[in-house]
Amino acid sequence: MMRNPLLVPDLRELIQGGEEDVLREFLEDQHPGRVAEFIEDLPDGDGDAVFRVLAPRERAEVLSYFGADEQSRLVEAMPPKEAAELLRVMSHDDRADLVNRLDEDFVDEVLPNLAQAEREDIARLAAYEPGTAGAVMTTDYVTLPAHITVRDALERLRHEAPDRETIYYCYVVDHNRRLIGFISLKTLILARRSAVIEEIMQLDVIQAKVDDDQEEVARTIDKYDLIALPIVDADSKLVGIVTHDDALDILRREQTEDILKFGGVSPDPEADDLPYWQSPVVSVVRRRIKWLMLLFLAENLTTPVNEHFQWTLDEGQAPALFFFMALLTGTGGNAGSQTVGTVIRGMALGEIKLSHTLRVVLREWLTGTCLGILLGTAGFFYIHYWRGQPWDVSAVVGLSLFGVCMWSNVIGAVVPLVARRVGIDPAVVSAPFISTLVDATGLIIYFTIAINVLGLAK
């Protein structure tokens, strides 16, 4: 976000000069995200002072733009009563997450300053299994009984709106809190004031269970373009909602995790959200070394292949063949990585099911065949005319490129699908691992073609 320095006062000067009223008036006109940027640009002491100038509700909005560690630091620097007031106005899901991260001794001092209902709400949300809809939902929503009129419903909304995260959807429940329908704010505004809610509510409610996977919940919100998704328990009782902004956060975290896995970096929930420059080098090394060691060991699969064919091939032609090994293995690894990325994306979006395995393999085999023909032809002419190699060596490289491309595409399609079938996250089967696997099998294809085409077997 671009800032005009002529419009931004010296916040440090206002703090140090005791001009809190002027500072508060300025901050009230700013977007919460921009206020967070101002605070981050100041030294800790001055930044904390600016944060304390804000009213509780404004603090809660600004706090959501900080990382988890900074949120904890700012709240734990506050007196328990102020922290309790902040928790009281925060969205219910955010405050439950925050309490889980705060120091236990500090939490013990803060919670007695909250009402019993608020303490129970925090405990209930914090108790859900991480990664489920219950762990990311909020209990901050509006419910309506079916028998009241639109006039009464709008009056109720006027009273409840200031304390609710969203009022764009109102959920209709029966006397047992079972979800029976919903109505949008737009429908309420346009309806006759004398109309009864049950006459105009929508009965086809898209919903999720409290123990559903949070990524599936987020994708449902994205698929149906919802502002919020109601969450029900095993008895169809409404227990919370997941909002669209929470869904965006979930998808961002899941995509970050998948990208890291795909690159051979072990995910770490506490470190994944950290900016690049804030990630400690020790943590980065720890997250990368496991996969690098595994790939290092896997790469040794190529050694026995080389040793075997080194004694099988004629000494006169072998140097030329070994010279083009990197070309073959690199092409195979790239083709396999492209296929893995495409298949994992299709699986993540629900476009590829396990029942589609044969169709996917056939499709990728056809794709690999087409790519192999193009690359094999290009490789033949490149090796013969540009590199000056004989026709037979050029033919070996061209045919090998064809075979490696076709094989790499098949492997890249099969491995993620097999991983999903046996219960392994397909993203864990990363592109580097596929490249290593294709290296070994690609060399077998290369040297086998060479032996048969050149007649080099001893």
Side-chain angles (χ1 to χ4, degrees), residues 87 90-101 121-126 135 137:
L87 292 177
M90 287 181 67
S91 63
H92 294 193
D93 53 334
D94 288 344
R95 74 181 180 187
D97 291 340
L98 178 60
V99 168
N100 276 339
R101 295 194 302 265
D121 182 71
I122 291 173
R124 183 168 55 254
L125 290 177
M137 72 181 184

Side-chain angles (χ1 to χ4, degrees), residues 193-213:
R193 294 298 182 263
S194 59
V196 178
I197 294 299
E198 63 183 350
E199 296 173 351
I200 60 174
M201 71 180 184
Q202 290 185 244
L203 299 176
D204 183 21
V205 185
I206 299 171
Q207 57 189 266
K209 297 290 186 182
V210 72
D211 55 356
D212 285 350
D213 184 85

